[in-house]
Amino acid sequence: MSIEIANESGVGVDEGSIVSAARFALDRMGVSPLAELSVLLVELDVMADLHERWMDLPGPTDVMAFPMDELDSARRPDAAGLGPALLGDIVLCPAFAKDQAKKAGHGLLDELHLLTVHGVLHLLGYDHAEPAEEREMFTLQNRILADFRNARDEAERAAHQRSTDDKVLGAVGLDEKNEEA
């Protein structure tokens, strides 16, 4: 799965972690590993311009998703071998998200993970215009985020355990350097 990320926001964030959240959500949703996604982080004024131009709403927002509408129409159903599919673009505004994170009582990166998953779901056709749609999308979003956090926490615990094990093995002379000799 190809996920391109560009940070033009002026806010330093862990871009790799945002890519991981997007990849996790796409995997959870069963999206083909050949899919391509673009994530762009922008400044407030750029997001305000996009928000007004595409949604006809004033001021900046936290996330916008731009799906590739021609994804299926350009491909014949009987075409041999499906090539990579461009899902679309997710645009995030960290400066806007920072205030939301503070109000929600969590860090900016957690907010950006939430917005990334939200954007992925929009690209896949989910919406929250109607109450039933909102329940479905937000339930799915919360489940994916909880699973992502659990997987991330487990990977961190495993890495810490490996590091501790390596130190112990090194102290007793059983590390990899001594095994090669």
Side-chain angles (χ1 to χ4, degrees):
M1 190 166 304
S2 172
I3 301 175
E4 301 281 330
I5 187 165
N7 188 351
E8 300 173 2
S9 70
V11 176
V13 298
D14 183 354
E15 295 166 17
S17 184
I18 293 169
V19 169
S20 293
R23 180 167 282 117
F24 188 90
L26 291 167
D27 285 344
R28 266 308 142 96
M29 296 303 296
V31 174
S32 167
L34 298 176
E36 297 177 14
L37 171 67
S38 170
V39 180
L40 179 62
L41 287 76
V42 299
E43 296 176 336
L44 283 167
D45 59 337
V46 173
M47 184 60 100
D49 180 56
L50 290 170
H51 199 217
E52 185 169 333
R53 188 175 346 152
W54 294 101
M55 302 297 292
D56 203 25
L57 295 170
T61 189
D62 50 7
V63 59
M64 292 184 72
F66 297 94
M68 293 301 292
D69 294 333
E70 27 326 290
L71 182 65
D72 290 324
S73 62
R75 185 178 291 138
R76 288 175 27 134
D78 59 346
L82 299 177
L86 182 57
L87 295 175
D89 304 312
I90 297 172
V91 182
L92 303 172
C93 185
F96 193 93
K98 193 180 289 188
D99 291 335
Q100 288 182 168
K102 186 180 280 186
K103 289 175 187 170
H106 56 241
L108 174 60
L109 192 56
D110 285 333
E111 186 71 14
L112 291 173
H113 289 158
L114 181 151
L115 296 173
T116 299
V117 171
H118 189 86
V120 164
L121 292 175
H122 273 306
L123 291 179
L124 297 177
Y126 288 85
D127 202 356
H128 46 86
E130 300 296 325
E133 292 174 335
E134 182 177 349
R135 268 190 310 279
E136 179 184 20
M137 183 175 179
F138 282 73
T139 297
L140 184 56
Q141 174 181 291
N142 291 339
R143 188 177 321 126
I144 291 169
L145 280 170
D147 291 348
F148 172 72
R149 288 184 192 117
N150 288 338
R152 182 189 58 195
D153 292 348
E154 183 56 37
E156 288 174 4
R157 277 191 294 277
H160 177 71
Q161 185 62 51
R162 276 192 303 280
S163 175
T164 301
D165 292 348
D166 289 345
K167 288 177 187 172
V168 169
L169 292 173
V172 297
L174 296 175
D175 60 351
E176 290 179 14
K177 293 175 193 159
N178 288 332
E179 289 176 12
E180 292 173 5

